[in-house]
Amino acid sequence: MNFTNANSGRLSATSLALLKQQGQITVYEDGEVIHQRGDQSPGLSAVLSGAVRVGNYGRDGRYFLSAQLGPGDSFGEQTVFTALPRSHSAEAVGETRISQLGPGQTKALLLEHPKLALDLLGSLAQRLHWSLEALDDSKRLPLMLRTAKLIRYIDQQEEANGQLSVSQEQLAAQIGVSRMSLSKALNKLQSQGLIERRYKTLKIVDRQRLQSWIEANSETLSIS
Protein backbone atom coordinates (compact mmCIF):
# COMPACT_ATOMS: atom_id res chain seq x y z
CA MET A 1 0.00 0.00 0.00
CA ASN A 2 1.32 3.44 -0.90
CA PHE A 3 1.05 5.93 1.96
CA THR A 4 2.97 8.76 0.29
CA ASN A 5 2.26 10.93 -2.71
CA ALA A 6 5.01 9.61 -4.96
CA ASN A 7 4.84 12.61 -7.26
CA SER A 8 5.34 15.31 -4.68
CA GLY A 9 7.10 13.53 -1.80
CA ARG A 10 4.55 15.07 0.56
CA LEU A 11 2.66 13.42 3.38
CA SER A 12 -0.72 11.90 2.65
CA ALA A 13 -3.88 13.75 3.67
CA THR A 14 -4.47 11.19 6.45
CA SER A 15 -1.01 11.66 7.97
CA LEU A 16 -1.22 15.43 7.68
CA ALA A 17 -4.59 15.44 9.44
CA LEU A 18 -3.11 13.34 12.28
CA LEU A 19 -0.18 15.72 12.72
CA LYS A 20 -2.56 18.66 12.67
CA GLN A 21 -4.70 17.05 15.37
CA GLN A 22 -1.80 16.09 17.64
CA GLY A 23 0.53 19.05 17.17
CA GLN A 24 0.63 22.63 18.37
CA ILE A 25 -0.58 24.97 15.63
CA THR A 26 1.48 28.12 15.13
CA VAL A 27 0.72 30.88 12.64
CA TYR A 28 3.66 32.79 11.15
CA GLU A 29 3.49 36.06 9.26
CA ASP A 30 5.22 36.62 5.92
CA GLY A 31 8.99 36.69 6.40
CA GLU A 32 8.84 35.60 10.03
CA VAL A 33 11.73 33.33 11.07
CA ILE A 34 10.66 29.86 12.19
CA HIS A 35 14.16 28.76 13.16
CA GLN A 36 17.74 29.55 12.21
CA ARG A 37 20.68 27.41 11.19
CA GLY A 38 22.44 26.11 14.30
CA ASP A 39 19.40 26.32 16.57
CA GLN A 40 19.03 23.52 19.10
CA SER A 41 15.28 23.27 18.75
CA PRO A 42 14.37 19.63 18.09
CA GLY A 43 10.96 18.72 16.75
CA LEU A 44 8.90 17.75 13.73
CA SER A 45 7.00 20.40 11.80
CA ALA A 46 4.30 19.95 9.15
CA VAL A 47 3.16 22.73 6.84
CA LEU A 48 -0.64 23.04 6.92
CA SER A 49 -1.03 26.16 4.76
CA GLY A 50 1.17 28.81 3.23
CA ALA A 51 4.81 28.04 2.47
CA VAL A 52 8.22 27.80 4.14
CA ARG A 53 11.46 28.95 2.56
CA VAL A 54 14.43 26.80 3.62
CA GLY A 55 18.00 27.87 2.90
CA ASN A 56 21.15 29.59 4.14
CA TYR A 57 23.14 32.76 3.52
CA GLY A 58 26.70 32.64 2.24
CA ARG A 59 29.55 34.74 3.61
CA ASP A 60 28.97 37.26 0.84
CA GLY A 61 25.34 37.68 1.93
CA ARG A 62 23.93 35.79 -1.04
CA TYR A 63 20.97 33.57 -0.20
CA PHE A 64 20.98 29.93 -1.28
CA LEU A 65 17.51 28.41 -1.40
CA SER A 66 17.42 24.68 -0.68
CA ALA A 67 13.66 24.19 -0.93
CA GLN A 68 10.33 25.93 -0.71
CA LEU A 69 7.92 23.75 1.24
CA GLY A 70 4.15 23.77 0.88
CA PRO A 71 1.14 22.11 2.53
CA GLY A 72 1.88 18.46 3.22
CA ASP A 73 5.63 18.94 3.52
CA SER A 74 7.42 18.21 6.79
CA PHE A 75 10.79 19.25 8.15
CA GLY A 76 12.96 18.80 11.23
CA GLU A 77 13.00 14.99 11.17
CA GLN A 78 16.77 14.82 11.72
CA THR A 79 16.43 16.76 14.98
CA VAL A 80 13.95 14.19 16.31
CA PHE A 81 16.24 11.18 15.87
CA THR A 82 19.66 12.79 16.38
CA ALA A 83 21.26 15.46 18.55
CA LEU A 84 22.09 17.53 15.49
CA PRO A 85 21.22 21.23 15.35
CA ARG A 86 19.12 22.79 12.59
CA SER A 87 21.05 22.64 9.31
CA HIS A 88 19.07 25.38 7.53
CA SER A 89 17.18 28.52 8.38
CA ALA A 90 13.43 28.52 7.73
CA GLU A 91 11.04 31.43 7.28
CA ALA A 92 7.41 31.83 6.33
CA VAL A 93 6.34 32.86 2.84
CA GLY A 94 3.00 34.58 3.26
CA GLU A 95 0.83 33.74 6.26
CA THR A 96 1.78 30.17 7.14
CA ARG A 97 0.26 27.65 9.54
CA ILE A 98 2.50 24.91 10.93
CA SER A 99 1.81 21.99 13.25
CA GLN A 100 4.77 21.36 15.57
CA LEU A 101 5.50 18.29 17.69
CA GLY A 102 8.35 17.67 20.12
CA PRO A 103 10.73 14.70 19.77
CA GLY A 104 9.07 12.56 22.44
CA GLN A 105 5.60 13.24 21.12
CA THR A 106 6.71 12.48 17.56
CA LYS A 107 8.30 9.14 18.47
CA ALA A 108 5.26 8.06 20.51
CA LEU A 109 2.96 8.98 17.63
CA LEU A 110 5.04 7.01 15.11
CA LEU A 111 4.95 3.91 17.33
CA GLU A 112 1.19 4.24 17.77
CA HIS A 113 0.51 4.86 14.07
CA PRO A 114 2.74 2.66 11.85
CA LYS A 115 1.11 4.03 8.69
CA LEU A 116 2.28 7.50 9.66
CA ALA A 117 5.82 6.14 10.17
CA LEU A 118 5.79 4.52 6.72
CA ASP A 119 4.39 7.67 5.16
CA LEU A 120 7.06 9.84 6.76
CA LEU A 121 9.78 7.37 5.77
CA GLY A 122 8.55 7.38 2.18
CA SER A 123 8.56 11.17 2.11
CA LEU A 124 12.09 11.29 3.52
CA ALA A 125 13.34 8.70 1.01
CA GLN A 126 11.88 10.70 -1.88
CA ARG A 127 13.48 13.93 -0.68
CA LEU A 128 16.83 12.20 -0.09
CA HIS A 129 16.74 10.88 -3.64
CA TRP A 130 16.09 14.37 -5.02
CA SER A 131 18.87 15.86 -2.86
CA LEU A 132 21.46 13.29 -3.94
CA GLU A 133 20.50 13.69 -7.58
CA ALA A 134 20.78 17.48 -7.33
CA LEU A 135 24.22 17.14 -5.73
CA ASP A 136 25.37 14.82 -8.50
CA ASP A 137 23.89 17.12 -11.17
CA SER A 138 25.80 20.11 -9.76
CA LYS A 139 29.06 18.23 -10.37
CA ARG A 140 28.33 16.79 -13.80
CA LEU A 141 25.67 18.64 -15.75
CA PRO A 142 25.72 21.98 -17.59
CA LEU A 143 23.54 24.75 -16.19
CA MET A 144 20.95 24.54 -18.96
CA LEU A 145 20.22 20.90 -18.18
CA ARG A 146 20.24 21.48 -14.41
CA THR A 147 17.74 24.30 -14.90
CA ALA A 148 15.48 22.08 -17.01
CA LYS A 149 15.55 19.37 -14.34
CA LEU A 150 14.72 21.88 -11.59
CA ILE A 151 11.77 23.18 -13.61
CA ARG A 152 10.51 19.63 -14.08
CA TYR A 153 10.98 18.92 -10.36
CA ILE A 154 9.01 22.00 -9.28
CA ASP A 155 6.25 21.12 -11.73
CA GLN A 156 5.99 17.62 -10.25
CA GLN A 157 6.25 18.77 -6.64
CA GLU A 158 3.64 21.49 -6.98
CA GLU A 159 1.47 19.45 -9.38
CA ALA A 160 1.44 22.64 -11.44
CA ASN A 161 0.45 21.03 -14.75
CA GLY A 162 3.12 22.99 -16.59
CA GLN A 163 2.19 26.42 -15.17
CA LEU A 164 4.85 27.34 -12.61
CA SER A 165 4.53 30.31 -10.27
CA VAL A 166 8.26 30.71 -9.75
CA SER A 167 10.52 33.72 -10.10
CA GLN A 168 13.89 33.87 -11.78
CA GLU A 169 15.40 34.85 -8.42
CA GLN A 170 13.99 31.71 -6.78
CA LEU A 171 15.39 29.43 -9.48
CA ALA A 172 18.81 31.10 -9.34
CA ALA A 173 18.92 30.82 -5.54
CA GLN A 174 17.92 27.16 -5.58
CA ILE A 175 20.54 26.20 -8.17
CA GLY A 176 23.15 28.44 -6.55
CA VAL A 177 24.06 30.62 -9.54
CA SER A 178 23.76 34.28 -10.41
CA ARG A 179 20.55 35.67 -11.85
CA MET A 180 22.40 36.54 -15.06
CA SER A 181 23.64 32.97 -15.55
CA LEU A 182 20.18 31.60 -14.84
CA SER A 183 18.64 34.01 -17.34
CA LYS A 184 20.97 32.76 -20.07
CA ALA A 185 19.98 29.15 -19.33
CA LEU A 186 16.27 30.04 -19.46
CA ASN A 187 16.78 31.84 -22.77
CA LYS A 188 18.37 28.71 -24.23
CA LEU A 189 15.49 26.53 -23.03
CA GLN A 190 13.03 29.00 -24.52
CA SER A 191 14.89 29.03 -27.85
CA GLN A 192 14.52 25.23 -27.89
CA GLY A 193 10.77 25.68 -27.56
CA LEU A 194 10.70 23.90 -24.20
CA ILE A 195 9.46 26.76 -21.99
CA GLU A 196 7.89 30.20 -22.20
CA ARG A 197 9.11 32.91 -19.84
CA ARG A 198 6.60 35.22 -18.21
CA TYR A 199 6.66 37.65 -15.29
CA LYS A 200 7.36 35.56 -12.16
CA THR A 201 5.96 32.51 -13.95
CA LEU A 202 7.14 29.87 -16.38
CA LYS A 203 5.14 27.72 -18.74
CA ILE A 204 6.33 24.32 -19.86
CA VAL A 205 5.27 24.20 -23.50
CA ASP A 206 5.08 20.39 -23.62
CA ARG A 207 5.78 18.42 -20.45
CA GLN A 208 6.49 15.15 -22.27
CA ARG A 209 8.84 16.89 -24.69
CA LEU A 210 10.73 18.48 -21.78
CA GLN A 211 11.03 15.08 -20.12
CA SER A 212 12.29 13.49 -23.35
CA TRP A 213 14.81 16.30 -23.87
CA ILE A 214 16.17 15.90 -20.33
CA GLU A 215 16.49 12.13 -20.73
CA ALA A 216 18.15 12.37 -24.15
CA ASN A 217 20.73 14.95 -23.03
CA SER A 218 21.46 13.20 -19.74
CA GLU A 219 22.04 9.93 -21.60
CA THR A 220 24.40 11.60 -24.07
CA LEU A 221 26.45 13.09 -21.25
CA SER A 222 26.67 9.81 -19.37
CA ILE A 223 27.92 7.97 -22.47
CA SER A 224 30.46 10.63 -23.39
Side-chain angles (χ1 to χ4, degrees), residues 154-187:
I154 294 174
D155 180 51
Q156 293 174 337
Q157 184 188 46
E158 301 297 332
E159 299 178 353
N161 198 29
Q163 304 283 345
L164 280 64
S165 297
V166 59
S167 67
Q168 184 172 302
E169 291 83 356
Q170 181 181 337
L171 290 174
Q174 194 155 349
I175 296 177
V177 298
S178 68
R179 181 178 173 181
M180 183 177 296
S181 296
L182 190 278
S183 181
K184 291 178 180 178
L186 291 176
N187 285 338

Short mmCIF file of all heavy atoms in Angstrom, two decimals, residues 154-187:
data_model
loop_
_atom_site.label_atom_id
_atom_site.label_comp_id
_atom_site.label_asym_id
_atom_site.label_seq_id
_atom_site.Cartn_x
_atom_site.Cartn_y
_atom_site.Cartn_z
N ILE A 154 10.00 21.11 -9.89
CA ILE A 154 9.01 22.00 -9.28
C ILE A 154 7.62 21.72 -9.83
O ILE A 154 6.63 21.72 -9.09
CB ILE A 154 9.41 23.48 -9.53
CG1 ILE A 154 10.71 23.80 -8.79
CG2 ILE A 154 8.30 24.42 -9.08
CD1 ILE A 154 11.26 25.18 -9.08
N ASP A 155 7.54 21.45 -11.12
CA ASP A 155 6.25 21.12 -11.73
C ASP A 155 5.64 19.87 -11.10
O ASP A 155 4.45 19.82 -10.80
CB ASP A 155 6.44 20.93 -13.24
CG ASP A 155 5.14 20.58 -13.96
OD1 ASP A 155 4.14 21.30 -13.76
OD2 ASP A 155 5.12 19.59 -14.71
N GLN A 156 6.47 18.86 -10.87
CA GLN A 156 5.99 17.62 -10.25
C GLN A 156 5.63 17.83 -8.79
O GLN A 156 4.60 17.36 -8.33
CB GLN A 156 7.07 16.54 -10.38
CG GLN A 156 7.32 16.08 -11.81
CD GLN A 156 8.49 15.11 -11.91
OE1 GLN A 156 9.36 15.07 -11.05
NE2 GLN A 156 8.52 14.33 -12.97
N GLN A 157 6.48 18.56 -8.07
CA GLN A 157 6.25 18.77 -6.64
C GLN A 157 4.98 19.57 -6.39
O GLN A 157 4.19 19.24 -5.50
CB GLN A 157 7.44 19.49 -6.02
CG GLN A 157 7.32 19.65 -4.51
CD GLN A 157 8.41 20.53 -3.93
OE1 GLN A 157 8.71 21.59 -4.46
NE2 GLN A 157 9.01 20.08 -2.84
N GLU A 158 4.80 20.62 -7.18
CA GLU A 158 3.64 21.49 -6.98
C GLU A 158 2.40 21.01 -7.73
O GLU A 158 1.33 21.61 -7.59
CB GLU A 158 3.98 22.92 -7.44
CG GLU A 158 5.17 23.54 -6.72
CD GLU A 158 4.93 23.71 -5.24
OE1 GLU A 158 3.74 23.87 -4.85
OE2 GLU A 158 5.91 23.69 -4.46
N GLU A 159 2.57 19.93 -8.53
CA GLU A 159 1.47 19.45 -9.38
C GLU A 159 0.88 20.62 -10.16
O GLU A 159 -0.33 20.85 -10.19
CB GLU A 159 0.40 18.75 -8.53
CG GLU A 159 0.95 17.53 -7.79
CD GLU A 159 -0.07 16.84 -6.90
OE1 GLU A 159 -1.18 17.39 -6.73
OE2 GLU A 159 0.23 15.75 -6.40
N ALA A 160 1.79 21.37 -10.81
CA ALA A 160 1.44 22.64 -11.44
C ALA A 160 0.90 22.49 -12.86
O ALA A 160 0.47 23.48 -13.46
CB ALA A 160 2.67 23.55 -11.47
N ASN A 161 0.97 21.28 -13.40
CA ASN A 161 0.45 21.03 -14.75
C ASN A 161 1.09 21.96 -15.79
O ASN A 161 0.44 22.43 -16.71
CB ASN A 161 -1.08 21.18 -14.78
CG ASN A 161 -1.69 20.52 -16.02
OD1 ASN A 161 -1.15 19.55 -16.54
ND2 ASN A 161 -2.80 21.04 -16.48
N GLY A 162 2.38 22.22 -15.60
CA GLY A 162 3.12 22.99 -16.59
C GLY A 162 3.07 24.49 -16.40
O GLY A 162 3.75 25.23 -17.12
N GLN A 163 2.29 24.98 -15.43
CA GLN A 163 2.19 26.42 -15.17
C GLN A 163 2.84 26.72 -13.82
O GLN A 163 2.23 26.51 -12.77
CB GLN A 163 0.72 26.86 -15.16
CG GLN A 163 -0.04 26.53 -16.43
CD GLN A 163 0.30 27.48 -17.58
OE1 GLN A 163 0.87 28.54 -17.38
NE2 GLN A 163 -0.09 27.11 -18.79
N LEU A 164 4.08 27.20 -13.83
CA LEU A 164 4.85 27.34 -12.61
C LEU A 164 4.86 28.79 -12.13
O LEU A 164 5.23 29.70 -12.88
CB LEU A 164 6.30 26.89 -12.84
CG LEU A 164 6.59 25.39 -12.82
CD1 LEU A 164 5.88 24.67 -13.96
CD2 LEU A 164 8.08 25.14 -12.89
N SER A 165 4.45 28.99 -10.89
CA SER A 165 4.53 30.31 -10.27
C SER A 165 5.87 30.40 -9.55
O SER A 165 5.97 30.19 -8.34
CB SER A 165 3.38 30.52 -9.29
OG SER A 165 2.14 30.50 -9.96
N VAL A 166 6.91 30.68 -10.29
CA VAL A 166 8.26 30.71 -9.75
C VAL A 166 9.03 31.86 -10.39
O VAL A 166 8.94 32.08 -11.60
CB VAL A 166 8.98 29.36 -9.98
CG1 VAL A 166 9.06 29.02 -11.46
CG2 VAL A 166 10.36 29.35 -9.37
N SER A 167 9.76 32.59 -9.59
CA SER A 167 10.52 33.72 -10.10
C SER A 167 11.91 33.29 -10.53
O SER A 167 12.43 32.25 -10.09
CB SER A 167 10.64 34.81 -9.04
OG SER A 167 11.44 34.38 -7.96
N GLN A 168 12.52 34.12 -11.35
CA GLN A 168 13.89 33.87 -11.78
C GLN A 168 14.84 33.88 -10.58
O GLN A 168 15.78 33.09 -10.51
CB GLN A 168 14.30 34.95 -12.79
CG GLN A 168 15.68 34.75 -13.40
CD GLN A 168 15.93 35.73 -14.53
OE1 GLN A 168 15.18 35.78 -15.49
NE2 GLN A 168 16.97 36.53 -14.39
N GLU A 169 14.57 34.77 -9.61
CA GLU A 169 15.40 34.85 -8.42
C GLU A 169 15.34 33.55 -7.62
O GLU A 169 16.35 33.07 -7.09
CB GLU A 169 14.94 36.01 -7.53
CG GLU A 169 15.22 37.39 -8.11
CD GLU A 169 14.14 37.84 -9.11
OE1 GLU A 169 13.21 37.04 -9.39
OE2 GLU A 169 14.22 38.98 -9.57
N GLN A 170 14.14 32.96 -7.53
CA GLN A 170 13.99 31.71 -6.78
C GLN A 170 14.76 30.58 -7.44
O GLN A 170 15.44 29.80 -6.78
CB GLN A 170 12.50 31.35 -6.66
CG GLN A 170 12.26 30.07 -5.87
CD GLN A 170 10.78 29.71 -5.79
OE1 GLN A 170 9.92 30.56 -5.93
NE2 GLN A 170 10.51 28.44 -5.56
N LEU A 171 14.67 30.49 -8.76
CA LEU A 171 15.39 29.43 -9.48
C LEU A 171 16.89 29.60 -9.32
O LEU A 171 17.61 28.62 -9.07
CB LEU A 171 15.02 29.47 -10.97
CG LEU A 171 13.60 29.03 -11.34
CD1 LEU A 171 13.35 29.27 -12.83
CD2 LEU A 171 13.37 27.56 -11.01
N ALA A 172 17.37 30.84 -9.46
CA ALA A 172 18.81 31.10 -9.34
C ALA A 172 19.31 30.74 -7.94
O ALA A 172 20.38 30.14 -7.77
CB ALA A 172 19.10 32.56 -9.66
N ALA A 173 18.52 31.10 -6.92
CA ALA A 173 18.92 30.82 -5.54
C ALA A 173 18.94 29.32 -5.26
O ALA A 173 19.81 28.83 -4.54
CB ALA A 173 17.97 31.52 -4.57
N GLN A 174 17.99 28.59 -5.85
CA GLN A 174 17.92 27.16 -5.58
C GLN A 174 19.04 26.40 -6.28
O GLN A 174 19.56 25.42 -5.75
CB GLN A 174 16.55 26.60 -6.01
CG GLN A 174 16.28 25.21 -5.47
CD GLN A 174 14.80 24.91 -5.37
OE1 GLN A 174 13.95 25.80 -5.50
NE2 GLN A 174 14.47 23.66 -5.14
N ILE A 175 19.44 26.86 -7.47
CA ILE A 175 20.54 26.20 -8.17
C ILE A 175 21.88 26.66 -7.61
O ILE A 175 22.87 25.94 -7.64
CB ILE A 175 20.45 26.47 -9.68
CG1 ILE A 175 19.17 25.86 -10.26
CG2 ILE A 175 21.66 25.88 -10.42
CD1 ILE A 175 18.95 26.13 -11.73
N GLY A 176 21.91 27.91 -7.10
CA GLY A 176 23.15 28.44 -6.55
C GLY A 176 24.00 29.16 -7.57
O GLY A 176 25.23 29.06 -7.54
N VAL A 177 23.35 29.86 -8.51
CA VAL A 177 24.06 30.62 -9.54
C VAL A 177 23.54 32.05 -9.55
O VAL A 177 22.55 32.37 -8.89
CB VAL A 177 23.87 29.98 -10.94
CG1 VAL A 177 24.45 28.58 -10.96
CG2 VAL A 177 22.40 29.96 -11.34
N SER A 178 24.20 32.91 -10.31
CA SER A 178 23.76 34.28 -10.41
C SER A 178 22.49 34.37 -11.25
O SER A 178 22.20 33.48 -12.07
CB SER A 178 24.84 35.15 -11.03
OG SER A 178 25.03 34.82 -12.40
N ARG A 179 21.76 35.46 -11.06
CA ARG A 179 20.55 35.67 -11.85
C ARG A 179 20.87 35.78 -13.33
O ARG A 179 20.11 35.30 -14.18
CB ARG A 179 19.85 36.93 -11.36
CG ARG A 179 18.56 37.25 -12.09
CD ARG A 179 17.89 38.48 -11.53
NE ARG A 179 16.74 38.88 -12.33
CZ ARG A 179 15.99 39.94 -12.08
NH1 ARG A 179 16.27 40.70 -11.04
NH2 ARG A 179 14.98 40.24 -12.85
N MET A 180 22.01 36.39 -13.66
CA MET A 180 22.40 36.54 -15.06
C MET A 180 22.66 35.18 -15.72
O MET A 180 22.22 34.92 -16.84
CB MET A 180 23.65 37.42 -15.17
CG MET A 180 24.08 37.70 -16.61
SD MET A 180 25.51 38.79 -16.69
CE MET A 180 24.81 40.29 -15.96
N SER A 181 23.36 34.31 -15.01
CA SER A 181 23.64 32.97 -15.55
C SER A 181 22.35 32.18 -15.74
O SER A 181 22.17 31.48 -16.74
CB SER A 181 24.59 32.21 -14.61
OG SER A 181 25.84 32.86 -14.53
N LEU A 182 21.46 32.30 -14.76
CA LEU A 182 20.18 31.60 -14.84
C LEU A 182 19.36 32.12 -16.01
O LEU A 182 18.73 31.34 -16.74
CB LEU A 182 19.43 31.77 -13.53
CG LEU A 182 18.17 30.94 -13.25
CD1 LEU A 182 16.93 31.53 -13.89
CD2 LEU A 182 18.37 29.49 -13.64
N SER A 183 19.39 33.41 -16.24
CA SER A 183 18.64 34.01 -17.34
C SER A 183 19.11 33.47 -18.68
O SER A 183 18.31 33.20 -19.58
CB SER A 183 18.78 35.53 -17.30
OG SER A 183 18.04 36.13 -18.34
N LYS A 184 20.42 33.31 -18.83
CA LYS A 184 20.97 32.76 -20.07
C LYS A 184 20.49 31.32 -20.30
O LYS A 184 20.15 30.94 -21.42
CB LYS A 184 22.49 32.81 -20.04
CG LYS A 184 23.08 34.21 -20.10
CD LYS A 184 24.60 34.18 -20.02
CE LYS A 184 25.18 35.59 -20.08
NZ LYS A 184 26.68 35.56 -19.95
N ALA A 185 20.45 30.54 -19.22
CA ALA A 185 19.98 29.15 -19.33
C ALA A 185 18.50 29.11 -19.72
O ALA A 185 18.09 28.30 -20.55
CB ALA A 185 20.21 28.41 -18.02
N LEU A 186 17.70 29.99 -19.12
CA LEU A 186 16.27 30.04 -19.46
C LEU A 186 16.06 30.46 -20.91
O LEU A 186 15.18 29.94 -21.60
CB LEU A 186 15.55 31.01 -18.53
CG LEU A 186 15.42 30.59 -17.06
CD1 LEU A 186 14.77 31.71 -16.25
CD2 LEU A 186 14.61 29.30 -16.93
N ASN A 187 16.89 31.41 -21.38
CA ASN A 187 16.78 31.84 -22.77
C ASN A 187 17.06 30.69 -23.73
O ASN A 187 16.41 30.54 -24.77
CB ASN A 187 17.74 33.00 -23.04
CG ASN A 187 17.26 34.31 -22.45
OD1 ASN A 187 16.07 34.48 -22.20
ND2 ASN A 187 18.17 35.23 -22.21
#
